[in-house]
Amino acid sequence: MQAEFIKLYNDNPNPNEIRKIVRVLQKGGLIIYPTDTVYGLGCDITKTKALERIARIKGVKLAKANWSFVCADLSNLSDYVRQIDTPTFKILKRALPGPYTFILPGNNSLPKAFKNKKTVGIRVPDNNIAKAIVEALGNPIVSTSIRDEDDVIEYTTDPELIYEKWQNLVDIVIDGGYGDNVPSTVIDLSADEPAVIREGKGKLNIL
């Protein structure tokens, strides 16, 4: 099985192609897609078999995987995250959409594969392609960045090279132009004080 290679433009993603991508996700397919940072590997949050496929590819146990939930905006938050206080919400409003991953306390309605998780990583990328996919899907996609084994490169930015490497592992590779090679900034908001876990593309002046 070879992945389909779909070219999309960030300023105006083609709705027919977005629908095709969503159909693949709903059938449990895996996609590689652009974000406002590095390219991501993602699947529908509700498809356990797809989550297991990503875990196998990444060589991790699904129960131990720390992946992000990519949302279209903050309106889905209460589906997965416990009630958050106003200062926390203000940080999210300031930063999102943007190149950040926020670690927040998970609630009891997390999908089955994440039931034992105390926290979840939430991402709202400032990228129209990612946003259009999640909006059309109607729920978040679970995402992990596609790191390169080669530490010098770390993140592959050229969609054609990504396709070469991943075409037999996923169902669709989206060419949304060159990606960035700096990952998102990860900030833990699950405790009393915000903690910066990884400084990436997102500036820290939002705290």
Side-chain angles (χ1 to χ4, degrees):
M1 184 203 76
Q2 206 174 18
E4 195 173 346
F5 192 59
I6 296 178
K7 172 107 184 112
L8 287 175
Y9 296 94
N10 188 42
D11 49 2
N12 191 12
N14 179 326
N16 292 335
E17 299 286 24
I18 294 290
R19 277 194 288 277
K20 186 195 291 181
I21 293 161
V22 165
R23 279 197 297 275
V24 167
L25 286 168
Q26 286 167 336
K27 286 190 188 128
L30 305 188
I31 65 167
I32 287 180
Y33 69 102
T35 70
D36 51 358
T37 58
V38 299
Y39 266 79
L41 164 65
C43 71
D44 183 329
I45 195 173
T46 64
K47 303 286 181 236
T48 307
K49 285 219 164 24
L51 294 165
E52 285 165 354
R53 266 179 77 191
I54 293 184
R56 274 199 303 279
I57 289 170
K58 297 289 274 192
V60 294
K61 281 199 165 44
L62 183 51
K64 294 205 162 35
N66 287 319
W67 298 330
S68 308
F69 293 10
V70 173
C71 306
D73 53 38
L74 291 173
S75 63
N76 301 97
L77 266 196
S78 56
D79 297 347
Y80 307 104
V81 172
R82 281 212 311 271
Q83 184 83 44
I84 50 179
D85 60 22
T86 308
T88 303
F89 192 72
K90 281 186 170 157
I91 293 174
L92 297 177
K93 286 293 277 187
R94 267 202 298 279
L96 299 173
Y100 297 89
T101 302
F102 288 105
I103 297 169
L104 296 163
N107 66 16
N108 295 333
S109 51
L110 285 174
K112 198 166 87 231
F114 302 101
K115 277 286 180 236
N116 62 350
K117 289 257 173 246
K118 300 268 186 289
T119 58
V120 292
I122 297 287
R123 232 1 220 103
V124 183
D126 189 8
N127 177 285
N128 292 332
I129 296 169
K131 195 175 157 155
I133 293 168
V134 176
E135 276 176 353
L137 183 61
N139 53 258
I141 46 184
V142 165
S143 186
T144 174
S145 55
I146 55 165
R147 282 190 84 94
D148 219 287
E149 279 74 64
D150 182 343
D151 280 343
V152 183
I153 311 173
E154 217 168 66
Y155 297 100
T156 309
T157 59
D158 180 338
E160 288 185 11
L161 294 178
I162 292 171
Y163 181 74
E164 255 171 55
K165 186 178 166 186
W166 288 83
Q167 59 189 345
N168 299 318
L169 291 170
V170 300
D171 302 279
I172 291 177
V173 174
I174 299 165
D175 173 359
Y178 273 85
D180 206 326
N181 58 1
V182 181
S184 64
T185 292
V186 181
I187 299 173
D188 188 342
L189 296 177
S190 65
D192 295 339
E193 287 293 318
V196 178
I197 307 295
R198 175 180 74 195
E199 199 167 340
K201 190 175 173 186
K203 304 269 190 292
L204 296 179
N205 57 4
I206 53 128
L207 293 175

